Amino acid sequence: MSDDKKYITSEELKKHDKQDDLWISIQGKCYNVTDWVKDHPGGDIPIRSLAGQEATDAFIAFHPGTAWKYLDKFFTGYHLKDYEVTEVSKDYRKLCSEFSKAGMFEKKGHGVIYSFCFVTLLMSLSFCGVLLSQNFLVHMLSAALLGLAWMQISYLGHDSGHYVMMTNRGFNKLAQILTGNCLTGISIAWWKWTHNAHHVACNSLDHDPDLQHLPVFAVSTKFFKSLNSSFYGRELTFDSVAKFFVSYQHFTYYPIMCVARVNLFVQTFLLLFSTRKVPDRALNILGILVFWTWFPLLVSTLPNWTERFLFVLLSFCVTSLQHIQFTLNHFAADVYVGQPEGNDWFEKQTSGTIDIACVSWMDWFYGGLQFQLEHHLFPRLPRCHLRKVSPIVQDLCKKHKLPYRSLSFYEANVWTLRTLKTAAMQARGLLWEAVNTHG
């Protein structure tokens, strides 16, 4: 009996990676998602990054089982002739299936309730310290508590962005706007836009926005060639200003992290008031207005400008611990240039991430994201399960000779500073060469 299926090769599939011609392959079946990309809940970036490729592992990672039924309407009728599944992908898909059958993606534990209660306590203590006391030290303690609250709120926003942590999607969206926009001033729409791109293109210098920090940071000398950012759609220019800042980045790393929150505020406004299509733009703007009402009012109740400045600075400094943590997870890991490859998706996640080792009672502090590799491999897995699956991931990495790096917080800082210093020394050489040449 003859095979009536229509086939195309991987090379032919690669030709369908244009903005007006987007195809992907999932389990060997080719789908035309050109029209769907503008309505994709995860945004257009993930699909564009994997267009023209076999993307089964990424699809499994980011979508629940209920998403499979929607694929049929996009089926082109073509199958991938040279479709193969690597041994590591087989094992990864088997794990995902086992976790799903065990209900782990749905069992979220009581961490969300505990976190909300903890955040409420921190915010209440901070507000009371500012409004009910005239003591300088109490005010500074209140600033620190507010910074700690922002850290925990960000973890809740992160959880709600990756999976439905509330009873339904409507309440989940409300939680996102509340935790992100209203309480921290950082748009959940901006976070989704950048974070989904980061997950799909983990540590690609030209596709992952979480590594694109010129002119202040460059984690690789490959940035010295002025790479073109496919995410921002512009060149990441390595000019004389970038040479100067990057030359001293191992010294400026911690000071800049202390005020990194300012950049997140700026990025939020740039996106919400841009011409780019933003889901729930009005709701996001409303949430931002809530933050920029209560926070300035709270600060204004402090007795003088010195205390106001120190209050804001200290709250930002405490929150910088979280910004540092996020960079430790990736700055010192392996990087590459180019489009992420769907057929080695698992391998890219292992090479681009570093875990932070800690005792179990400190999991709350890191929001589960100290298990960065586990989170990248299973982004829909609630944080309460990440420690449980860590040994399984380690065994899988060992079986396939893939890196599994788990460092202490101190070691991760050392690795990150060493990475920054290596690039800084080479940038400094280029800087002095330019000074000697041009005077």
Side-chain angles (χ1 to χ4, degrees):
M1 186 174 180
S2 62
D3 187 353
D4 295 329
K5 291 181 179 179
K6 296 187 294 182
Y7 291 93
I8 63 172
T9 65
S10 295
E11 289 301 315
E12 291 173 311
L13 178 63
K14 287 180 181 178
K15 297 176 182 178
H16 298 279
D17 63 348
K18 310 296 186 298
Q19 187 167 339
D20 58 350
D21 182 24
L22 297 171
W23 287 25
I24 58 171
S25 166
I26 299 175
Q27 289 194 330
K29 298 177 71 174
C30 299
Y31 299 94
N32 185 343
V33 290
T34 307
D35 295 329
W36 169 241
V37 69
K38 63 180 182 296
D39 298 315
H40 183 231
D44 61 328
I45 297 294
I47 291 180
R48 296 190 192 283
S49 295
L50 295 171
Q53 300 186 55
E54 215 295 312
T56 305
D57 288 349
F59 183 85
I60 290 174
F62 293 108
H63 298 84
T66 55
W68 289 88
K69 63 184 179 182
Y70 298 106
L71 288 174
D72 287 344
K73 62 182 178 181
F74 306 116
F75 183 47
T76 62
Y78 287 96
H79 294 74
L80 206 56
K81 187 175 183 179
D82 48 354
Y83 173 65
E84 294 182 357
V85 184
T86 64
E87 291 303 312
V88 65
S89 286
K90 288 179 182 178
D91 286 343
Y92 171 67
R93 296 175 193 182
K94 182 181 177 181
L95 274 184
C96 289
S97 177
E98 291 175 355
F99 292 167
S100 180
K101 289 177 181 177
M104 293 176 69
F105 294 109
E106 285 71 42
K107 295 176 182 176
K108 304 174 178 63
H110 300 293
V112 170
I113 297 174
Y114 297 150
S115 293
F116 269 121
C117 292
F118 187 41
V119 165
T120 301
L121 175 63
L122 291 174
M123 295 285 286
S124 299
L125 290 174
S126 178
F127 277 51
C128 289
V130 172
L131 300 175
L132 303 180
S133 174
Q134 297 299 315
N135 186 278
F136 172 79
L137 292 179
V138 172
H139 291 164
M140 294 305 102
L141 176 60
S142 299
L145 291 174
L146 181 59
L148 184 59
W150 280 337
M151 289 176 61
Q152 295 303 310
I153 291 167
S154 296
Y155 294 137
L156 285 170
H158 179 270
D159 290 346
S160 68
H162 275 294
Y163 55 87
V164 180
M165 70 177 190
M166 308 302 284
T167 55
N168 59 57
R169 292 192 176 276
F171 285 125
N172 200 64
K173 181 182 290 187
L174 178 63
Q176 290 174 344
I177 296 297
L178 176 64
T179 56
N181 300 49
C182 297
L183 296 182
T184 71
I186 300 169
S187 169
I188 194 67
W190 172 84
W191 176 84
K192 283 184 176 180
W193 179 47
T194 58
H195 197 66
N196 287 340
H198 161 67
H199 265 271
V200 171
C202 179
N203 273 33
S204 168
L205 296 178
D206 52 341
H207 283 73
D208 184 353
D210 282 12
L211 293 186
Q212 298 172 2
H213 300 298
L214 284 178
V216 292
F217 295 134
V219 298
S220 170
T221 56
K222 294 177 181 178
F223 276 120
F224 298 176
K225 298 178 182 179
S226 295
L227 296 176
N228 185 67
S229 169
S230 66
F231 180 80
Y232 291 111
R234 59 178 174 81
E235 185 181 81
L236 301 171
T237 306
F238 189 69
D239 53 18
S240 57
V241 175
K243 287 178 185 176
F244 176 78
F245 280 114
V246 171
S247 295
Y248 300 96
Q249 63 181 0
H250 51 304
F251 295 118
T252 61
Y253 172 64
Y254 293 114
I256 287 176
M257 288 295 104
C258 287
V259 293
R261 201 163 194 81
V262 176
N263 178 58
L264 302 187
F265 294 149
V266 172
Q267 294 300 322
T268 285
F269 278 99
L270 289 177
L271 176 65
L272 293 184
F273 294 98
S274 69
T275 57
R276 179 181 175 80
K277 182 181 178 181
V278 178
D280 302 309
R281 186 193 300 269
L283 195 58
N284 273 265
I285 292 176
L286 179 61
I288 294 301
L289 290 176
V290 170
F291 173 81
W292 287 109
T293 298
W294 74 258
F295 183 55
L297 283 175
L298 178 67
V299 175
S300 69
T301 61
L302 292 167
N304 55 65
W305 281 105
T306 300
E307 284 200 28
R308 292 166 191 163
F309 173 79
L310 292 176
F311 181 91
V312 173
L313 180 61
L314 183 56
S315 65
F316 285 9
C317 286
V318 171
T319 316
S320 72
L321 291 171
Q322 187 178 67
H323 302 315
I324 291 170
Q325 175 197 341
F326 292 160
T327 58
L328 298 182
N329 289 139
H330 297 286
F331 270 22
D334 301 337
V335 298
Y336 65 100
V337 175
Q339 185 177 8
E341 297 290 336
N343 56 6
D344 65 354
W345 184 84
F346 185 98
E347 293 89 329
K348 282 293 194 297
Q349 306 305 317
T350 60
S351 65
T353 54
I354 294 174
D355 281 10
I356 306 297
C358 75
V359 293
S360 59
W361 58 267
M362 280 293 288
D363 285 354
W364 67 272
F365 183 79
Y366 294 99
L369 297 182
Q370 74 275 26
F371 295 108
Q372 188 70 192
L373 176 55
E374 290 78 1
H375 170 62
H376 267 257
L377 293 176
F378 311 102
R380 295 188 301 107
L381 194 66
R383 69 167 102 159
C384 60
H385 300 304
L386 294 176
R387 183 173 287 274
K388 301 174 189 175
V389 306
S390 179
I392 301 173
V393 173
Q394 291 181 49
D395 289 342
L396 185 57
C397 289
K398 184 177 181 179
K399 175 182 177 181
H400 295 284
K401 296 182 172 61
L402 294 171
Y404 183 95
R405 288 162 292 200
S406 182
L407 308 175
S408 69
F409 188 78
Y410 172 77
E411 290 172 330
N413 274 270
V414 171
W415 279 40
T416 298
L417 288 175
R418 185 170 60 211
T419 298
L420 294 173
K421 184 177 180 179
T422 299
M425 292 300 100
Q426 296 188 53
R428 191 174 299 182
L430 295 174
L431 178 65
W432 285 111
E433 180 182 317
V435 170
N436 292 331
T437 302
H438 301 291

